[in-house]
Amino acid sequence: GESVGLHLPTLSVQEGDNSIINCAYSNSASDYFIWYKQESGKGPQFIIDIRSNMDKRQGQRVTVLLNKTVKHLSLQIAATQPGDSAVYFCAENRGDHHLVHGGTSYGKLTFGQGTILTVHP
Amino acid sequence: EPEVTQTPSHQVTQMGQEVILRCVPISNHLYFYWYRQILGQKVEFLVSFYNNEISEKSEIFDDQFSVERPDGSNFTLKIRSTKLEDSAMYFCASRTSGVLYGELFFGEGSRLTVL
């Protein structure tokens, strides 16, 4: 789940285990959600996204689940590898896109606090 | 694979000095963004830019900040008079046009340290 201030939630798993990272979002008007991975000293890297008209989407080794009723998003990583160790952020994009922005508001994301995933060999 | 590039990777400056952070978005992208991340905290939206003008800006993006696309490739963030609290990682991002929910590509970031 989310945390306050500098104390990020942490998740430690063994290599090969499945990981589940959770995120609570705040804006019921959000219609697009993304998971990003951030390795130390690098920028956020896109993992997977989901639109609000879906409740599940699968990628390679990753699955995102969306529960709009409780405003909850989760990222499942199958067969976690040491290279998956990073900070994982969920991000949401709210639905009030105005034509005057020419579509730029689709790139205006609100990020969650992040979860530190550590994978032990 | 095309990428967003940022320079400098790290800049140290004195409080009150002007700083310019530079970004080269992916070449066929038309929507540009700056985000920042204070150490250990979440990534925060600063500003979006399209068609040579600011589309949206956050409360953080006050009069000390400005953005510019001086030519066909660069996208810059200027902080006129830096404050200690401006110390952060600044990320440039871009996305393509014509895609409703297109991926937002981030650069590696520019770390700004204000002393």
Side-chain angles (χ1 to χ4, degrees):
Chain A
E2 298 294 331
S3 69
V4 176
L6 300 178
H7 304 288
L8 298 182
T10 59
L11 176 65
S12 292
V13 300
Q14 290 295 126
E15 181 178 2
D17 287 351
N18 296 332
S19 303
I20 299 176
I21 301 170
N22 297 302
C23 176
Y25 65 93
S26 56
N27 192 340
S28 57
S30 292
D31 62 355
Y32 178 53
F33 305 88
I34 314 100
W35 280 100
Y36 282 92
K37 171 186 181 182
Q38 186 178 28
E39 296 174 272
S40 181
K42 295 190 175 182
Q45 179 185 357
F46 175 92
I47 302 173
I48 191 168
D49 58 2
I50 188 168
R51 304 177 192 181
S52 60
N53 61 353
M54 304 169 70
D55 52 24
K56 180 179 180 178
R57 189 160 187 237
Q58 288 185 289
Q60 188 175 12
R61 280 202 308 119
V62 294
T63 301
V64 55
L65 299 176
L66 174 63
N67 185 331
K68 294 182 289 295
T69 302
V70 295
K71 292 189 284 188
H72 184 267
L73 195 67
S74 69
L75 175 70
Q76 299 178 1
I77 306 174
T80 318
Q81 303 166 2
D84 295 327
S85 294
V87 180
Y88 288 80
F89 293 95
C90 64
E92 60 185 292
N93 184 241
R94 68 175 194 270
D96 55 341
H97 309 293
H98 304 292
L99 292 177
V100 67
H101 297 302
T104 53
S105 60
Y106 294 113
K108 180 185 177 184
L109 304 179
T110 300
F111 280 80
Q113 199 71 24
T115 296
I116 301 172
L117 174 65
T118 304
V119 182
H120 302 283
Chain B
E1 185 177 314
E3 58 181 16
V4 176
T5 58
Q6 292 185 240
T7 55
S9 56
H10 188 195
Q11 180 154 359
V12 181
T13 190
Q14 294 291 324
M15 192 169 56
Q17 295 297 304
E18 177 182 283
V19 162
I20 298 176
L21 304 178
R22 292 181 168 81
C23 169
V24 179
I26 295 173
S27 61
N28 65 337
H29 287 188
L30 296 179
Y31 302 95
F32 313 115
Y33 307 82
W34 283 101
Y35 283 78
R36 82 167 186 192
Q37 184 178 33
I38 295 172
L39 183 63
Q41 297 189 20
K42 58 185 178 182
V43 179
E44 300 173 288
F45 168 81
L46 289 179
V47 65
S48 60
F49 190 88
Y50 170 71
N51 201 26
N52 286 318
E53 62 182 18
I54 290 174
S55 297
E56 286 185 271
K57 55 185 181 180
S58 70
E59 293 176 354
I60 304 167
F61 195 89
D62 60 23
D63 292 342
Q64 296 295 323
F65 291 88
S66 62
V67 290
E68 193 177 31
R69 188 152 164 84
D71 53 44
S73 60
N74 290 286
F75 179 51
T76 62
L77 174 68
K78 181 191 290 186
I79 309 174
R80 289 189 188 81
S81 178
T82 50
K83 304 185 287 286
L84 295 176
E85 54 265 38
D86 294 328
S87 295
M89 195 76 153
Y90 289 82
F91 293 106
C92 175
S94 70
R95 59 188 291 273
T96 189
S97 63
V99 182
L100 192 60
Y101 294 102
E103 181 180 338
L104 189 63
F105 291 84
F106 284 84
E108 298 275 278
S110 292
R111 180 171 297 284
L112 176 64
T113 301
V114 182
L115 303 176

